[in-house]
Amino acid sequence: MCGIIGYTGTAPAVDILMQGLATLEYRGYDSAGVAVVTGNGNPRVRVVKRAGKLSNLREILDGTWLEGRTGVGHTRWATHGEPSDRNSHPHQDSDGDLAVIHNGIFENFAELKSELIADGHEFASDTDTEVIAHLIGRHSDGLARGPEALADAVRAALRRVEGAFAVAVVDRRSPDTIVASRREAPLVLGHLDGASLLSSDVAGLIRYTRDVEALLDDQVAILTPQGITITDLDGNRSEGHRYTVDWDVDVAEKQGYEHFMLKEIHEQPAALRETLLGRTRDGRIALDEQRLDDDDFCHLDKVYVVACGTSFHAGMVAKYALEHWARVPVEVEIASEFRYRDPILTPHTVVVAISQSGETADTLAAAAHARAQRAKVVAISNVVGSSLAREADAVLYTRAGPEIAVASTKAFTTQILALELLALFLAQLRRAMFPEEWQDQLQRMAALPELMEQVFGQESAIRQLAATVAHASYVMFVGRQVGLPIALEGALKLKEISYLHAEGFPAGEMKHGPIALIEQGGPVVALATAGHVRGKIVSNIQEVKARGATVIAIATEGDTEIKAHADHVIYVPEVHELLYPMLTVVPLQLLAYFIATELGCDVDQPRNLAKTVTVE
Ligand code: AGP
C-alpha cells in the first residue's frame, strides 16, 4: 500500500508533504517523491523523486527550493516496475504539465499503454501509474479552462481504467487545485480554514485537522484553499463520509487498531482481493514476471517448495493444490535443510521459493543452490524487486502490502492464494484440468474475501475463548490433510507472540505419542471442517476428549453435529476443501492475538524475533 499526501493552501506545500510522508513511513515503502506547483506568474509542476528512504528525497529537497503552496507527495510500495528513481511517483504526462500519484493497481494498464504508444505517447517508466497521467494529459487542450476542466479530464480517464486506485493530480493550469479519486483504495480528505488536504491514511492529516471526510468509491474530489467539492464519475455533486477523528497519531497509524497485527489480520480480505487482481490475461492465468517459456513448465518432472516459518506452512498447503490440480509430484522442504541434503535437481525441476520479505537468508541460499543445479526457481514474494524476486526465473507477488507486525498474517493467506493460483497456472499449461475446472476455482477464489469477512463476526467470541485458554500450560493444535499446515501455523502464531508452549500435530499421530501430554482441561484446537477426513478428525477429538482435553473445533457452518464432540466451536463458511486454509487460519490468528494481549505481551515486536531473518 503506497502513502499519499496532498495539500493546497497558504503555507509552503513541500514542508507539509514531507511531514505527511514521514508520518506514513511506518507503512513500508521503497521510494518517495513530491510534485509542487511553483511560480506565481508562470506556474510549473516541479517533480522531485528518489528510490530508497525519505532521507534520500529530503537530501535532494534541501538543495532545491520549491516555493509552491499546492502539491502532492507519495511513498511507493512497488507492484508494477522495480523500485527505482524512474519508477518512483509522481508521474507526468508527455508535456510535464501535470503530475499524478497513485496507490493500487490498474488491471488494464497494458492495453491502455499500447493504445497511448500507438498515439505517439512515450513513457519514462514501467509503472501502471504513468498511463493515467498520459490519459489525463490527452485532454490538455481543454485543461487551460481551469479546475473543472481538470476534473472532467480526470473523470474521463478514470472511466477507462479497471482495478483498484487512489489517485491525486496537480496541473500547472490549475495552480491551486488538486483533483483526487479512489476505487477500493483508501483516500481521506482534510477540511480546515484556508486549506484542503488529502491522504491515503488518517494519520497523514491529524497533525493539521481532525475534520476529515472519507472519499467513497468512484467519487472525485476537487480540493482548493477555499474548500473541497465532491462529485461522482459523471460530475454529479456528491458527499463523502465526514467525521471527526478522535485518535492520536500513534493510534491512527494503526487505523484505530491497538496493534499492527490486528490491523493486518483485518486487512486480509482486502489483501486477497489485491492478490487476485489482474491475474488472467487473454483468458489465461498469468504470472507477474516470467523469464521462462511455457515449455519449461510443461516438461517439469518435480516441484520442490522451500521456505521458512509461516511461509513453510503456506508451502505445505501448496503441496495439496499442486498435486491435486497440476498433477505434479511435490516435496516441501524447510529452506535451511534443503541444500544440505543434496537434493536431486535437474533442469526439469521447479523450485518454488516462498518468502514474504524476499530477503530470508535460508530461503535465498536454497534458491541459489537450486539455480546452481540448473533447476528453475519460481518466487512467491510480497516485496517487488526483493533479492529473491530479482534472482528467480519467474515471480508471483502476493501484493499483501507492507506487513509490519513480526507475526505474519496477511502475507500468509495471500501466499496460499498465490500458490493456489500457481497450481492452476501449471494445471492449465499442462492440461491437467479442463478450462471450465480452473475457471470454476478462480470464481470460488474470488468469493473468498467476502467469506473471510464473515469469520470476523465471531471475533468477540474468540476473544472470550482466549481468556479461558491464556493461562494454560500448553495448547495443542491438530489437523489432517490441508488442516495440518493450519494446525502448525496456529501453534507458531501462538508461541511467537504469547511465548506459551504451543505445538501442532498430525491428528493421526496423537496416539503415537503426543496424546501422553494431554492433561485434564488441557486445550486442543482441532481443524474439523467438512471434507473427506472430517470423520477421522472427529475420532481424534473423541480420543483427546476421553483423556480430559478441552476441545476447540474449527468447523464448517451448519455442522451442528460437531457440538456433540467439542467444547467450543468456531465456524467458517463452506468452501472447496483446498480453500479452507485461508479461512480456518483467521480464528487461530485472532486466538493467538487475544491470548497474547491477555498476557500483556508485545504483540507486534515479540522478544527474540525479527521481521526478516537475514542471517543463516
Ligand atoms: C512468521 O510469523 C514468522 N515471523 C516467521 O516464521 C517468518 O514466516 C519466517 O521468518 C519467514 O519469513 P519470510 O516469509 O520473509 O521469508
Short mmCIF file of all heavy atoms in Angstrom, two decimals, residues 471-527:
data_model
loop_
_atom_site.label_atom_id
_atom_site.label_comp_id
_atom_site.label_asym_id
_atom_site.label_seq_id
_atom_site.Cartn_x
_atom_site.Cartn_y
_atom_site.Cartn_z
N HIS A 471 -4.05 -18.93 30.23
CA HIS A 471 -3.17 -19.35 31.34
C HIS A 471 -2.92 -20.85 31.35
O HIS A 471 -2.44 -21.40 32.34
CB HIS A 471 -3.77 -18.85 32.66
CG HIS A 471 -3.95 -17.34 32.66
ND1 HIS A 471 -2.89 -16.45 32.81
CD2 HIS A 471 -5.05 -16.58 32.41
CE1 HIS A 471 -3.35 -15.21 32.72
NE2 HIS A 471 -4.65 -15.25 32.48
N ALA A 472 -3.25 -21.51 30.23
CA ALA A 472 -2.97 -22.95 30.13
C ALA A 472 -1.46 -23.17 30.08
O ALA A 472 -0.71 -22.28 29.67
CB ALA A 472 -3.63 -23.50 28.86
N SER A 473 -1.01 -24.37 30.46
CA SER A 473 0.44 -24.63 30.43
C SER A 473 0.88 -25.03 29.02
O SER A 473 2.07 -25.00 28.70
CB SER A 473 0.78 -25.75 31.41
OG SER A 473 0.00 -26.90 31.11
N TYR A 474 -0.06 -25.43 28.20
CA TYR A 474 0.28 -25.74 26.80
C TYR A 474 -1.00 -25.62 25.98
O TYR A 474 -2.11 -25.64 26.54
CB TYR A 474 0.83 -27.16 26.66
CG TYR A 474 -0.22 -28.23 26.90
CD1 TYR A 474 -1.11 -28.62 25.90
CD2 TYR A 474 -0.35 -28.81 28.16
CE1 TYR A 474 -2.10 -29.56 26.13
CE2 TYR A 474 -1.34 -29.76 28.40
CZ TYR A 474 -2.22 -30.13 27.39
OH TYR A 474 -3.20 -31.05 27.64
N VAL A 475 -0.87 -25.50 24.67
CA VAL A 475 -2.00 -25.58 23.75
C VAL A 475 -1.58 -26.47 22.57
O VAL A 475 -0.49 -26.28 22.03
CB VAL A 475 -2.44 -24.21 23.21
CG1 VAL A 475 -3.65 -24.35 22.28
CG2 VAL A 475 -2.77 -23.25 24.36
N MET A 476 -2.42 -27.47 22.26
CA MET A 476 -2.14 -28.34 21.12
C MET A 476 -3.05 -27.98 19.96
O MET A 476 -4.18 -27.54 20.15
CB MET A 476 -2.42 -29.80 21.50
CG MET A 476 -1.36 -30.45 22.33
SD MET A 476 -1.78 -32.21 22.48
CE MET A 476 -0.53 -32.70 23.63
N PHE A 477 -2.51 -28.15 18.75
CA PHE A 477 -3.30 -27.93 17.54
C PHE A 477 -3.20 -29.19 16.70
O PHE A 477 -2.10 -29.70 16.49
CB PHE A 477 -2.74 -26.75 16.74
CG PHE A 477 -2.86 -25.42 17.45
CD1 PHE A 477 -2.00 -25.07 18.48
CD2 PHE A 477 -3.84 -24.51 17.07
CE1 PHE A 477 -2.10 -23.84 19.13
CE2 PHE A 477 -3.95 -23.27 17.71
CZ PHE A 477 -3.09 -22.94 18.74
N VAL A 478 -4.35 -29.74 16.26
CA VAL A 478 -4.29 -30.95 15.44
C VAL A 478 -5.11 -30.76 14.16
O VAL A 478 -6.12 -30.06 14.14
CB VAL A 478 -4.83 -32.18 16.22
CG1 VAL A 478 -3.95 -32.48 17.42
CG2 VAL A 478 -6.27 -31.97 16.62
N GLY A 479 -4.60 -31.38 13.08
CA GLY A 479 -5.29 -31.28 11.79
C GLY A 479 -4.88 -32.42 10.89
O GLY A 479 -3.88 -33.09 11.15
N ARG A 480 -5.65 -32.63 9.84
CA ARG A 480 -5.33 -33.63 8.82
C ARG A 480 -5.40 -32.96 7.44
O ARG A 480 -6.10 -31.97 7.28
CB ARG A 480 -6.34 -34.79 8.85
CG ARG A 480 -6.17 -35.76 10.00
CD ARG A 480 -7.27 -36.81 9.98
NE ARG A 480 -7.11 -37.80 11.05
CZ ARG A 480 -6.57 -39.00 10.89
NH1 ARG A 480 -6.14 -39.37 9.70
NH2 ARG A 480 -6.46 -39.84 11.90
N GLN A 481 -4.66 -33.52 6.50
CA GLN A 481 -4.69 -33.01 5.10
C GLN A 481 -4.40 -31.51 5.11
O GLN A 481 -3.45 -31.07 5.81
CB GLN A 481 -6.05 -33.38 4.50
CG GLN A 481 -5.98 -33.76 3.05
CD GLN A 481 -6.74 -32.78 2.18
OE1 GLN A 481 -7.27 -31.79 2.66
NE2 GLN A 481 -6.76 -33.05 0.91
N VAL A 482 -5.18 -30.67 4.47
CA VAL A 482 -4.82 -29.24 4.48
C VAL A 482 -5.04 -28.60 5.84
O VAL A 482 -4.63 -27.47 6.08
CB VAL A 482 -5.63 -28.42 3.44
CG1 VAL A 482 -5.13 -28.66 2.04
CG2 VAL A 482 -7.11 -28.68 3.56
N GLY A 483 -5.63 -29.36 6.77
CA GLY A 483 -5.79 -28.83 8.13
C GLY A 483 -4.49 -28.89 8.90
O GLY A 483 -4.29 -28.15 9.87
N LEU A 484 -3.56 -29.78 8.47
CA LEU A 484 -2.30 -29.93 9.21
C LEU A 484 -1.43 -28.68 9.14
O LEU A 484 -1.00 -28.16 10.17
CB LEU A 484 -1.53 -31.15 8.70
CG LEU A 484 -0.11 -31.32 9.26
CD1 LEU A 484 -0.12 -31.38 10.79
CD2 LEU A 484 0.54 -32.60 8.69
N PRO A 485 -1.18 -28.09 7.95
CA PRO A 485 -0.39 -26.85 7.92
C PRO A 485 -1.02 -25.74 8.76
O PRO A 485 -0.31 -24.94 9.36
CB PRO A 485 -0.38 -26.46 6.44
CG PRO A 485 -0.77 -27.68 5.69
CD PRO A 485 -1.54 -28.54 6.59
N ILE A 486 -2.34 -25.73 8.85
CA ILE A 486 -3.00 -24.67 9.64
C ILE A 486 -2.85 -24.95 11.13
O ILE A 486 -2.68 -24.03 11.94
CB ILE A 486 -4.47 -24.54 9.23
CG1 ILE A 486 -4.58 -24.25 7.73
CG2 ILE A 486 -5.18 -23.47 10.04
CD1 ILE A 486 -3.74 -23.08 7.26
N ALA A 487 -2.83 -26.22 11.49
CA ALA A 487 -2.55 -26.57 12.90
C ALA A 487 -1.15 -26.11 13.27
O ALA A 487 -0.93 -25.50 14.32
CB ALA A 487 -2.70 -28.07 13.10
N LEU A 488 -0.19 -26.35 12.38
CA LEU A 488 1.19 -25.93 12.64
C LEU A 488 1.29 -24.40 12.69
O LEU A 488 1.99 -23.83 13.51
CB LEU A 488 2.12 -26.49 11.55
CG LEU A 488 2.18 -28.02 11.42
CD1 LEU A 488 3.08 -28.42 10.26
CD2 LEU A 488 2.64 -28.67 12.71
N GLU A 489 0.56 -23.73 11.79
CA GLU A 489 0.61 -22.26 11.74
C GLU A 489 -0.06 -21.68 12.98
O GLU A 489 0.44 -20.71 13.57
CB GLU A 489 -0.06 -21.76 10.47
CG GLU A 489 -0.19 -20.25 10.36
CD GLU A 489 1.14 -19.49 10.39
OE1 GLU A 489 2.20 -20.14 10.26
OE2 GLU A 489 1.11 -18.28 10.59
N GLY A 490 -1.17 -22.29 13.41
CA GLY A 490 -1.82 -21.78 14.63
C GLY A 490 -0.91 -21.89 15.83
O GLY A 490 -0.84 -20.98 16.67
N ALA A 491 -0.15 -22.98 15.89
CA ALA A 491 0.80 -23.17 17.01
C ALA A 491 1.93 -22.15 16.92
O ALA A 491 2.34 -21.55 17.92
CB ALA A 491 1.35 -24.59 16.99
N LEU A 492 2.43 -21.92 15.69
CA LEU A 492 3.52 -20.95 15.54
C LEU A 492 3.06 -19.55 15.92
O LEU A 492 3.73 -18.83 16.66
CB LEU A 492 4.03 -20.95 14.09
CG LEU A 492 5.09 -19.88 13.77
CD1 LEU A 492 6.32 -20.05 14.64
CD2 LEU A 492 5.46 -19.92 12.29
N LYS A 493 1.90 -19.13 15.46
CA LYS A 493 1.36 -17.80 15.81
C LYS A 493 1.31 -17.65 17.31
O LYS A 493 1.74 -16.65 17.88
CB LYS A 493 -0.05 -17.62 15.22
CG LYS A 493 -0.07 -17.34 13.75
CD LYS A 493 0.26 -15.93 13.34
CE LYS A 493 1.66 -15.65 12.93
NZ LYS A 493 2.38 -16.49 12.07
N LEU A 494 0.74 -18.67 17.99
CA LEU A 494 0.56 -18.55 19.44
C LEU A 494 1.90 -18.49 20.16
O LEU A 494 2.12 -17.64 21.00
CB LEU A 494 -0.28 -19.74 19.94
CG LEU A 494 -0.61 -19.72 21.45
CD1 LEU A 494 -1.32 -18.41 21.84
CD2 LEU A 494 -1.49 -20.92 21.82
N LYS A 495 2.81 -19.39 19.78
CA LYS A 495 4.07 -19.42 20.55
C LYS A 495 4.89 -18.16 20.32
O LYS A 495 5.51 -17.64 21.25
CB LYS A 495 4.88 -20.68 20.21
CG LYS A 495 5.51 -20.74 18.85
CD LYS A 495 6.34 -22.03 18.67
CE LYS A 495 5.47 -23.23 18.53
NZ LYS A 495 6.03 -24.30 17.68
N GLU A 496 4.85 -17.60 19.09
CA GLU A 496 5.79 -16.49 18.81
C GLU A 496 5.31 -15.17 19.41
O GLU A 496 6.12 -14.28 19.63
CB GLU A 496 6.07 -16.36 17.32
CG GLU A 496 4.93 -15.92 16.44
CD GLU A 496 5.40 -15.69 15.00
OE1 GLU A 496 6.51 -15.19 14.78
OE2 GLU A 496 4.64 -16.03 14.10
N ILE A 497 4.02 -15.04 19.74
CA ILE A 497 3.60 -13.74 20.31
C ILE A 497 3.16 -13.84 21.78
O ILE A 497 3.10 -12.83 22.47
CB ILE A 497 2.49 -13.08 19.47
CG1 ILE A 497 1.21 -13.90 19.45
CG2 ILE A 497 2.97 -12.78 18.07
CD1 ILE A 497 0.06 -13.19 18.75
N SER A 498 2.88 -15.08 22.27
CA SER A 498 2.45 -15.20 23.67
C SER A 498 3.48 -15.95 24.51
O SER A 498 3.38 -15.98 25.73
CB SER A 498 1.12 -15.97 23.74
OG SER A 498 1.36 -17.35 23.44
N TYR A 499 4.45 -16.58 23.82
CA TYR A 499 5.51 -17.35 24.48
C TYR A 499 4.94 -18.59 25.20
O TYR A 499 5.64 -19.24 25.96
CB TYR A 499 6.33 -16.51 25.44
CG TYR A 499 6.66 -15.12 24.92
CD1 TYR A 499 6.61 -13.99 25.74
CD2 TYR A 499 6.99 -14.91 23.56
CE1 TYR A 499 6.89 -12.72 25.25
CE2 TYR A 499 7.27 -13.64 23.07
CZ TYR A 499 7.21 -12.56 23.91
OH TYR A 499 7.48 -11.29 23.43
N LEU A 500 3.66 -18.91 24.96
CA LEU A 500 3.06 -20.14 25.51
C LEU A 500 3.63 -21.33 24.76
O LEU A 500 3.88 -21.25 23.56
CB LEU A 500 1.54 -20.11 25.27
CG LEU A 500 0.61 -19.71 26.41
CD1 LEU A 500 -0.84 -19.82 25.95
CD2 LEU A 500 0.82 -20.62 27.61
N HIS A 501 3.75 -22.50 25.44
CA HIS A 501 4.15 -23.70 24.71
C HIS A 501 2.99 -24.14 23.85
O HIS A 501 1.91 -24.47 24.36
CB HIS A 501 4.56 -24.84 25.64
CG HIS A 501 5.01 -26.03 24.86
ND1 HIS A 501 6.24 -26.10 24.24
CD2 HIS A 501 4.36 -27.16 24.49
CE1 HIS A 501 6.34 -27.23 23.57
NE2 HIS A 501 5.22 -27.90 23.72
N ALA A 502 3.16 -24.11 22.55
CA ALA A 502 2.09 -24.50 21.62
C ALA A 502 2.69 -25.38 20.54
O ALA A 502 3.80 -25.13 20.07
CB ALA A 502 1.47 -23.25 20.99
N GLU A 503 1.99 -26.45 20.21
CA GLU A 503 2.55 -27.38 19.23
C GLU A 503 1.46 -27.93 18.33
O GLU A 503 0.34 -28.19 18.81
CB GLU A 503 3.26 -28.54 19.95
CG GLU A 503 4.30 -29.23 19.10
CD GLU A 503 5.21 -30.12 19.95
OE1 GLU A 503 5.18 -30.00 21.19
OE2 GLU A 503 5.93 -30.94 19.33
N GLY A 504 1.78 -28.08 17.06
CA GLY A 504 0.85 -28.65 16.09
C GLY A 504 1.24 -30.07 15.77
O GLY A 504 2.43 -30.38 15.71
N PHE A 505 0.23 -30.95 15.58
CA PHE A 505 0.50 -32.35 15.27
C PHE A 505 -0.44 -32.83 14.16
O PHE A 505 -1.59 -32.38 14.08
CB PHE A 505 0.22 -33.25 16.49
CG PHE A 505 1.03 -32.96 17.70
CD1 PHE A 505 0.49 -32.24 18.75
CD2 PHE A 505 2.34 -33.40 17.79
CE1 PHE A 505 1.24 -31.97 19.89
CE2 PHE A 505 3.11 -33.14 18.92
CZ PHE A 505 2.55 -32.41 19.97
N PRO A 506 0.02 -33.80 13.36
CA PRO A 506 -0.94 -34.51 12.51
C PRO A 506 -1.90 -35.24 13.45
O PRO A 506 -1.45 -35.97 14.35
CB PRO A 506 -0.06 -35.50 11.75
CG PRO A 506 1.34 -35.02 11.89
CD PRO A 506 1.39 -34.31 13.22
N ALA A 507 -3.20 -35.04 13.28
CA ALA A 507 -4.17 -35.61 14.22
C ALA A 507 -4.00 -37.12 14.35
O ALA A 507 -4.13 -37.69 15.43
CB ALA A 507 -5.59 -35.27 13.77
N GLY A 508 -3.64 -37.76 13.25
CA GLY A 508 -3.48 -39.23 13.28
C GLY A 508 -2.28 -39.68 14.08
O GLY A 508 -2.13 -40.85 14.41
N GLU A 509 -1.38 -38.73 14.40
CA GLU A 509 -0.16 -39.08 15.13
C GLU A 509 -0.36 -39.01 16.64
O GLU A 509 0.50 -39.45 17.40
CB GLU A 509 0.97 -38.12 14.74
CG GLU A 509 1.72 -38.54 13.49
CD GLU A 509 2.44 -39.88 13.70
OE1 GLU A 509 3.43 -39.93 14.44
OE2 GLU A 509 1.96 -40.90 13.14
N MET A 510 -1.48 -38.45 17.11
CA MET A 510 -1.65 -38.22 18.54
C MET A 510 -1.43 -39.52 19.32
O MET A 510 -0.69 -39.55 20.30
CB MET A 510 -3.05 -37.67 18.82
CG MET A 510 -3.25 -36.23 18.34
SD MET A 510 -2.10 -35.10 19.12
CE MET A 510 -2.79 -35.06 20.77
N LYS A 511 -2.04 -40.61 18.82
CA LYS A 511 -1.98 -41.88 19.59
C LYS A 511 -0.60 -42.51 19.52
O LYS A 511 -0.30 -43.45 20.24
CB LYS A 511 -3.02 -42.86 19.06
CG LYS A 511 -2.94 -43.12 17.57
CD LYS A 511 -4.14 -43.94 17.11
CE LYS A 511 -4.21 -44.04 15.59
NZ LYS A 511 -4.26 -42.70 14.93
N HIS A 512 0.29 -41.93 18.70
CA HIS A 512 1.65 -42.49 18.62
C HIS A 512 2.61 -41.76 19.55
O HIS A 512 3.82 -41.80 19.36
CB HIS A 512 2.15 -42.40 17.17
CG HIS A 512 1.32 -43.20 16.22
ND1 HIS A 512 1.31 -44.58 16.17
CD2 HIS A 512 0.38 -42.80 15.32
CE1 HIS A 512 0.45 -45.00 15.27
NE2 HIS A 512 -0.14 -43.94 14.72
N GLY A 513 2.07 -41.00 20.51
CA GLY A 513 2.96 -40.35 21.48
C GLY A 513 2.40 -39.09 22.09
O GLY A 513 2.21 -39.02 23.31
N PRO A 514 2.11 -38.06 21.26
CA PRO A 514 1.71 -36.76 21.84
C PRO A 514 0.52 -36.84 22.80
O PRO A 514 0.39 -36.01 23.69
CB PRO A 514 1.38 -35.93 20.60
CG PRO A 514 2.17 -36.52 19.50
CD PRO A 514 2.21 -37.98 19.79
N ILE A 515 -0.34 -37.84 22.63
CA ILE A 515 -1.53 -37.90 23.49
C ILE A 515 -1.13 -38.08 24.95
O ILE A 515 -1.89 -37.76 25.87
CB ILE A 515 -2.49 -39.02 23.02
CG1 ILE A 515 -3.92 -38.73 23.45
CG2 ILE A 515 -2.02 -40.40 23.47
CD1 ILE A 515 -4.95 -39.55 22.72
N ALA A 516 0.10 -38.48 25.19
CA ALA A 516 0.58 -38.63 26.58
C ALA A 516 0.64 -37.27 27.28
O ALA A 516 0.65 -37.18 28.50
CB ALA A 516 1.97 -39.28 26.58
N LEU A 517 0.66 -36.20 26.47
CA LEU A 517 0.79 -34.85 27.04
C LEU A 517 -0.55 -34.33 27.56
O LEU A 517 -0.58 -33.34 28.30
CB LEU A 517 1.31 -33.89 25.96
CG LEU A 517 2.74 -34.09 25.47
CD1 LEU A 517 3.01 -33.19 24.26
CD2 LEU A 517 3.74 -33.79 26.59
N ILE A 518 -1.66 -34.96 27.16
CA ILE A 518 -2.98 -34.43 27.49
C ILE A 518 -3.19 -34.44 29.01
O ILE A 518 -2.98 -35.45 29.67
CB ILE A 518 -4.09 -35.26 26.82
CG1 ILE A 518 -3.94 -35.22 25.30
CG2 ILE A 518 -5.47 -34.76 27.24
CD1 ILE A 518 -4.28 -33.90 24.67
N GLU A 519 -3.53 -33.25 29.51
CA GLU A 519 -3.88 -33.14 30.94
C GLU A 519 -5.35 -32.74 31.06
O GLU A 519 -5.93 -32.23 30.11
CB GLU A 519 -3.00 -32.06 31.60
CG GLU A 519 -1.52 -32.39 31.62
CD GLU A 519 -0.68 -31.16 31.98
OE1 GLU A 519 -1.25 -30.05 32.03
OE2 GLU A 519 0.54 -31.32 32.17
N GLN A 520 -5.90 -32.93 32.22
CA GLN A 520 -7.30 -32.55 32.45
C GLN A 520 -7.51 -31.08 32.12
O GLN A 520 -6.81 -30.22 32.61
CB GLN A 520 -7.69 -32.79 33.91
CG GLN A 520 -9.16 -32.56 34.21
CD GLN A 520 -10.08 -33.46 33.38
OE1 GLN A 520 -9.74 -34.62 33.11
NE2 GLN A 520 -11.19 -32.88 32.93
N GLY A 521 -8.41 -30.83 31.17
CA GLY A 521 -8.72 -29.45 30.81
C GLY A 521 -7.74 -28.82 29.85
O GLY A 521 -7.92 -27.67 29.43
N GLY A 522 -6.69 -29.59 29.47
CA GLY A 522 -5.70 -29.03 28.54
C GLY A 522 -6.34 -28.72 27.18
O GLY A 522 -7.04 -29.56 26.63
N PRO A 523 -6.17 -27.49 26.63
CA PRO A 523 -6.84 -27.13 25.38
C PRO A 523 -6.23 -27.78 24.16
O PRO A 523 -5.01 -27.78 23.98
CB PRO A 523 -6.70 -25.61 25.32
CG PRO A 523 -5.53 -25.28 26.17
CD PRO A 523 -5.39 -26.35 27.18
N VAL A 524 -7.09 -28.33 23.29
CA VAL A 524 -6.67 -28.88 21.99
C VAL A 524 -7.54 -28.23 20.92
O VAL A 524 -8.77 -28.27 21.00
CB VAL A 524 -6.84 -30.41 21.93
CG1 VAL A 524 -6.51 -30.92 20.52
CG2 VAL A 524 -5.97 -31.09 22.97
N VAL A 525 -6.90 -27.57 19.95
CA VAL A 525 -7.62 -26.94 18.85
C VAL A 525 -7.61 -27.91 17.67
O VAL A 525 -6.54 -28.38 17.27
CB VAL A 525 -6.96 -25.61 18.43
CG1 VAL A 525 -7.72 -24.96 17.27
CG2 VAL A 525 -6.89 -24.66 19.63
N ALA A 526 -8.80 -28.24 17.16
CA ALA A 526 -8.89 -29.25 16.09
C ALA A 526 -9.48 -28.61 14.83
O ALA A 526 -10.55 -27.98 14.89
CB ALA A 526 -9.76 -30.41 16.53
N LEU A 527 -8.78 -28.78 13.70
CA LEU A 527 -9.31 -28.31 12.41
C LEU A 527 -10.25 -29.39 11.90
O LEU A 527 -9.81 -30.48 11.51
CB LEU A 527 -8.15 -28.08 11.43
CG LEU A 527 -7.33 -26.79 11.58
CD1 LEU A 527 -8.17 -25.59 11.36
CD2 LEU A 527 -6.49 -26.72 12.82
#
